[in-house]
Amino acid sequence: MFSFIPNHNYTYMSNFTPSEILHSLNLQPTNPGTSTGSSWMSTDKWITSFSPIDGKELGKVSVTSKSQYDEVVKKADSAFKELRTIPAPKRGEYIRQFGNALREEKAQLGALVSLEMGKSYQEGLGEVQEMIDICDFAVGLSRQLYGLTIKSERSNHNMMEQWHPLGVVGVISAFNFPVAVWAWNLTLALVCGNTVVWKGSEKAPLCAIACQNIWNKVAAANNLPEGISSIVSGDYTVGEWMTVDNKIPLVSATGSTRMGRIVGAKVAERFGKSILELGGNNAIIITPSCDLKITITGAIFGAVGTCGQRCTSTRRLIIHDSVYDKVKSALIQGYGQLKIGNPLDVSNHVGPLIDQDSINNFLHTIDAVQKEGGTVLCGGEVLSGGIYDQGYYVQPCIIEADNSYESVQRETFAPILYLLKYSGSVEDAIVIQNSVKQGLSSAIMTSDLREANLFLSERGSDCGIANVNIGTSGAEIGGAFGGEKETGGGRESGSDAWKAYMRRQTNTVNYGIDLPLAQGIEFNI
């Protein structure tokens, strides 16, 4: 018997009204959508934010005009010229203060993420905690932006390699992580000496306003110049301005593979740099020696967490035929225990999808995979009655399928879990896992040391993330986050991901009285 019990260590947030959550973060019914810091700008065009919980309007954010965008980038470029001269440990101090400000606002900002995006309150708190964690990482990094010393082949010469900031970094984030992904980029970019212009998702624009409000307090307390952290608001048009803007040497974009193709091509066309974090079609290989309890817990949370709207959500289970029926039965039993409803109520496991388009995509995919021969084992319905009639709630779905189906090969941003069977060795399962175009996250459930190490070897998973005995979703900030193939190849967060926000420079110093040339070349005049 498997039991999925929510963590009750958190406050029961549904006692707080949406207006109380918004007010606590200085959000208004109408909010200017463009900011270079303490300066805010509005237009007569608006984005309306609706909560996917009940479909009610939360507020409006004004759309950035082209002239406002140009002013934001101009101020960001001016601020960069000052910020780059501030010692990195001092920049780290600003980030430390920002992390502390996030700690103070964690409950409220986590609730806003849940309210505007629809993920559970626990997950909303977890997302803000990621912001805090990356601040801590960046503070340490501020004293570890190391270069290299290199032995020269010429006498009386020193060589070294150092790193310099790029300038203005453009960040385009998606609705499913409306605050954390920005923080991954902001903290690393700032500690490296860059400034940031952020276009948040038009599906969660209030989260961006709230984050800017928190940053502004830190900036004001330290008399920082306007333009270190700026926001612009709008649809894909505003993002297009960034991708073709020569004043933005690096664009970090999170979203669909379709979006990434456009952004990557446009930025490369002007010889800019990009960090692309795109789609995932993540699988867990379940071997005969798996620990069933760990397997089922990891698979279910990976598949239904954030209502299947994570780039690392578990989409496919590749199950050995010797344990297939046992795993299938346990999964169906576990799905039967899921509580679906208001994500601010911590007794619920699953909140809503983001909007009606997502519901339509969910239903279309289920219909398509059935036509290809798939069998729905449970779920797949749109829920109705009570709060379900106002929000965008579905019953997470399990489908028996084949990896060759077109529906299985593409990513559907919804809680659909495909069960795939393999009967040979773990090598056969790895072939199935790798035979999709995406390469973000992967996992294997095994008690066999050889299988685990093969999965992590050069003959194993081709994904940017490969886990053993944990699921595909979630990542610690200490490691670089990102994937291969159509996932884009970008890396954010920990490890040496900071290098993407800087330019490399090789230096040679001649401290002798002669000028020997490289490779022993003689040039006498």
Side-chain angles (χ1 to χ4, degrees), residues 151-463:
K151 294 300 181 184
S152 173
E153 66 186 36
R154 290 170 285 184
S155 299
N156 300 321
H157 282 59
N158 285 333
M159 288 182 66
M160 66 179 183
E161 180 180 275
Q162 58 180 333
W163 297 83
H164 297 302
L166 290 167
V168 182
V169 173
V171 177
I172 301 172
S173 62
F175 75 87
N176 60 328
F177 278 84
V179 296
V181 171
W182 165 72
W184 289 358
N185 286 275
L186 176 84
T187 54
L188 296 193
L190 262 59
V191 80
C192 290
N194 305 286
T195 55
V196 172
V197 176
W198 177 27
K199 179 202 168 298
S201 171
E202 60 268 37
K203 295 183 179 182
L206 295 176
C207 284
I209 305 296
C211 288
Q212 185 71 18
N213 285 336
I214 296 171
W215 167 258
N216 287 349
K217 294 177 184 178
V218 175
N222 291 277
N223 296 312
L224 297 178
E226 292 272 326
I228 289 180
S229 173
S230 305
I231 59 170
V232 291
S233 302
D235 60 13
Y236 68 92
T237 305
V238 179
E240 286 180 343
W241 296 338
M242 280 189 186
T243 62
V244 298
D245 193 341
N246 286 317
K247 298 182 183 67
I248 298 182
L250 171 65
V251 175
S252 176
T254 303
S256 68
T257 297
R258 181 193 63 80
M259 179 274 286
R261 282 197 178 95
I262 297 170
V263 171
K266 289 292 184 181
V267 175
E269 193 174 83
R270 59 178 176 84
F271 296 103
K273 298 171 67 177
S274 60
I275 300 172
L276 299 177
E277 299 289 359
L278 311 176
N281 194 349
N282 316 297
I284 299 177
I285 295 173
I286 301 175
T287 71
S289 65
C290 72
D291 181 308
L292 196 57
K293 182 177 181 180
I294 290 175
T295 297
I296 299 304
T297 301
I300 294 181
F301 177 74
V304 307
T306 320
C307 203
Q309 297 170 114
R310 292 178 177 230
C311 51
T312 56
S313 290
T314 305
R315 309 290 179 199
R316 299 174 295 146
L317 296 184
I318 304 167
I319 310 167
H320 194 270
D321 58 5
S322 66
V323 292
Y324 183 87
D325 289 339
K326 186 184 295 185
V327 171
K328 178 172 75 171
S329 176
L331 286 168
I332 294 171
Q333 177 185 320
Y335 269 54
Q337 298 176 43
L338 293 174
K339 294 182 179 180
I340 305 165
N342 187 334
L344 289 172
D345 181 343
V346 296
S347 67
N348 290 322
H349 303 97
V350 184
L353 288 170
I354 188 65
D355 55 22
Q356 185 61 46
D357 286 344
S358 293
I359 285 184
N360 295 342
N361 192 30
F362 174 75
L363 295 175
H364 170 77
T365 299
I366 293 171
D367 180 62
V369 75
Q370 286 180 296
K371 289 179 179 177
E372 290 183 277
T375 301
V376 174
L377 299 177
C378 66
E381 304 87 12
V382 177
L383 300 178
S384 61
I387 190 175
Y388 297 148
D389 286 336
Q390 286 75 48
Y392 304 104
Y393 297 88
V394 298
Q395 188 78 45
C397 184
I398 301 175
I399 301 177
E400 286 186 307
D402 188 274
N403 200 59
S404 64
Y405 295 169
E406 189 277 333
S407 302
V408 177
Q409 286 286 308
R410 61 180 171 84
E411 178 189 44
T412 299
F413 226 51
I416 300 174
L417 179 64
Y418 299 113
L419 304 191
L420 314 173
K421 187 183 294 186
Y422 81 99
S423 57
S425 67
V426 72
E427 287 95 334
D428 299 312
I430 291 171
V431 169
I432 295 171
Q433 179 203 276
N434 292 346
S435 62
V436 294
K437 294 180 179 179
Q438 309 84 358
L440 179 52
S441 187
S442 59
I444 187 170
M445 298 294 183
T446 182
S447 299
D448 187 315
L449 188 62
R450 291 174 175 170
E451 289 182 335
N453 281 281
L454 175 63
F455 181 73
L456 301 179
S457 76
E458 65 278 357
R459 294 188 290 128
S461 170
D462 65 0
C463 296

